[in-house]
Amino acid sequence: MGRKPKTGLDYFMCDVGWMMDSKFRRIKQKYGYLAPYTYQIILTMIYKDKGYYLDTSNMEDLSFDILEYLQGKYMPKAETVIDMIADFVACGLFSRDLYETEHILTSRRIQEEYYNSTSKRRAVTVNKRYWLLSVEDMKGISSRSSILSIFISDGINDISDGINKINDGKSTQRREDKSRSEEIREDQIRGREEHACAPAVAAVCLHFQKVFSHYPTTGFASEIERYLQAGMTENSIKNDISKAALKKPKAPIPYVLGMLRSAYQRQKPVYVDPDNIPLADWEKDWQEEYQAMCRKMEKSK
């Protein structure tokens, strides 16, 4: 049986002046040393795992993974990490389109590094929906990559996923495609009304839209359904959403889901093994009296 093809990288190139990038200016003023360090952590996670992107569909878990690297006296909160990622996207360090539509972190620079580093590998595949480099871009780096051969064999010259057309310009087509993808997601969420928790899920999603001025994703609706099935109430979830809005988070969905997870953990009943429950004082006294009585009865026989 053949070995599974490697996807990630063992190391990656780093420009000596990357921390002086103008895109970092405002972020460094806001977060200090955490900004470039966290960005470097994210790059490490990208190159080590998938090689050219990082899944952010579960932002809370991702923030805790990043915090593993930041442990120490001045470790930030998970909410700070989530806000920082949103700022990285806003300033152009990662693709905004792919972050909003596919929930991933990637960029042209990341993919150029991955493409160049894997050009001599025999079997490398990529998800075309996530790929930002055109055939001409790839040829300019190396014409021997197996990634390039995939796009050439498919007759693809312009990279497009059918929903979100990826290019560097702010074209009308991209805005139209983005609008269609948002409509699709809304239809999928509303289509969940066939499920038992659907009315409550729909009510929560509409409350989220009212508070944050945009309808949430299907993943958010799925998480809400899971919490409702676990015993959380519609009103308690709505209250948490309203509390989250007061904080004005830059990434509302992961921020709200983080709050809900914390609230669920607080109300989740803790299982206690009845055999290991310590005795109360009156129970200990009664047990001693009972044992003394048993010993007395034994002696009297």
Side-chain angles (χ1 to χ4, degrees):
M1 183 176 179
R3 187 171 59 180
K4 185 179 179 181
K6 185 176 181 178
T7 55
L9 304 179
D10 293 326
Y11 63 90
F12 59 94
M13 299 286 288
C14 182
D15 296 334
V16 294
W18 71 272
M19 282 194 291
M20 299 305 295
D21 192 322
S22 59
K23 294 176 181 177
F24 272 116
R25 190 170 300 153
R26 291 184 179 179
I27 300 180
K28 284 194 294 185
Q29 290 177 351
K30 184 175 181 180
Y31 300 103
Y33 75 94
L34 277 176
Y37 188 36
T38 304
Y39 177 68
Q40 192 77 354
I41 290 170
I42 292 173
L43 291 183
T44 300
M45 295 172 69
I46 289 174
Y47 289 126
K48 181 180 180 180
D49 185 20
K50 301 299 184 182
Y52 63 99
Y53 74 90
L54 185 64
D55 186 359
T56 67
S57 55
N58 191 331
M59 185 64 81
E60 185 185 13
D61 284 349
L62 175 59
S63 67
F64 286 122
D65 289 340
I66 294 173
L67 286 174
E68 288 292 323
Y69 293 87
L70 297 171
Q71 287 187 8
K73 183 176 180 181
Y74 302 105
M75 184 174 70
K77 295 181 179 179
E79 292 82 358
T80 302
V81 173
I82 293 172
D83 287 344
M84 211 181 317
I85 291 173
D87 282 334
F88 289 156
V89 174
C91 75
L93 289 170
F94 298 106
S95 167
R96 181 191 293 269
D97 288 334
L98 290 178
Y99 178 72
E100 293 178 349
T101 61
E102 302 290 348
H103 309 295
I104 68 166
L105 293 176
T106 190
S107 69
R108 287 181 57 86
R109 179 181 294 182
I110 290 170
Q111 294 187 10
E112 287 171 356
E113 175 65 24
Y114 182 72
Y115 181 86
N116 184 51
S117 298
T118 60
S119 60
K120 295 182 180 180
R121 292 185 187 177
R122 292 185 177 181
V124 183
T125 60
V126 295
N127 188 325
K128 295 175 184 176
R129 296 203 317 271
Y130 301 168
W131 200 246
L132 295 166
L133 305 182
S134 68
V135 169
E136 292 303 316
D137 292 331
M138 290 184 279
K139 285 181 177 179
I141 300 171
S142 174
S143 58
R144 301 178 60 182
S145 172
S146 57
I147 298 176
L148 176 61
S149 64
I150 295 173
F151 288 95
I152 292 178
S153 63
D154 290 345
I156 299 175
N157 290 316
D158 292 318
I159 314 304
S160 174
D161 62 7
I163 296 177
N164 178 42
K165 187 174 181 181
I166 303 167
N167 52 48
D168 293 328
K170 301 296 183 180
S171 64
T172 303
Q173 183 65 44
R174 176 163 57 176
R175 290 193 296 270
E176 293 174 351
D177 288 340
K178 181 178 177 181
S179 176
R180 283 202 301 273
S181 70
E182 292 173 348
E183 292 174 358
I184 290 171
R185 291 201 303 274
E186 291 184 17
D187 290 341
Q188 289 172 338
I189 295 173
R190 294 189 178 101
R192 300 181 66 87
E193 292 181 0
E194 298 176 0
H195 298 279
C197 294
V201 173
V204 169
C205 289
L206 289 173
H207 182 71
F208 183 97
Q209 182 184 36
K210 178 181 178 181
V211 171
F212 289 106
S213 301
H214 66 85
Y215 207 78
T217 61
T218 52
F220 179 84
S222 298
E223 288 296 301
I224 295 302
E225 183 177 25
R226 186 168 66 88
Y227 283 120
L228 288 168
Q229 291 174 345
M232 295 186 73
T233 66
E234 176 187 331
N235 287 335
S236 68
I237 295 175
K238 286 182 177 179
N239 288 335
D240 282 339
I241 292 175
S242 297
K243 291 177 182 177
L246 297 176
K247 299 292 185 179
K248 298 181 179 179
K250 294 186 178 180
I253 289 177
Y255 189 90
V256 169
L257 292 179
M259 289 186 64
L260 293 179
R261 181 174 181 178
S262 298
Y264 174 70
Q265 291 296 335
R266 287 195 299 270
Q267 76 171 33
K268 185 178 178 182
V270 178
Y271 172 74
V272 179
D273 186 352
D275 294 332
N276 294 323
I277 299 176
L279 296 176
D281 290 340
W282 70 268
E283 291 176 308
K284 293 178 182 178
D285 294 339
W286 178 87
Q287 189 179 60
E288 290 177 0
E289 291 177 3
Y290 176 76
Q291 291 173 349
M293 182 180 66
C294 291
R295 287 193 297 270
K296 186 176 181 180
M297 292 175 64
E298 286 291 330
K299 291 180 179 180
S300 64
K301 288 182 179 179

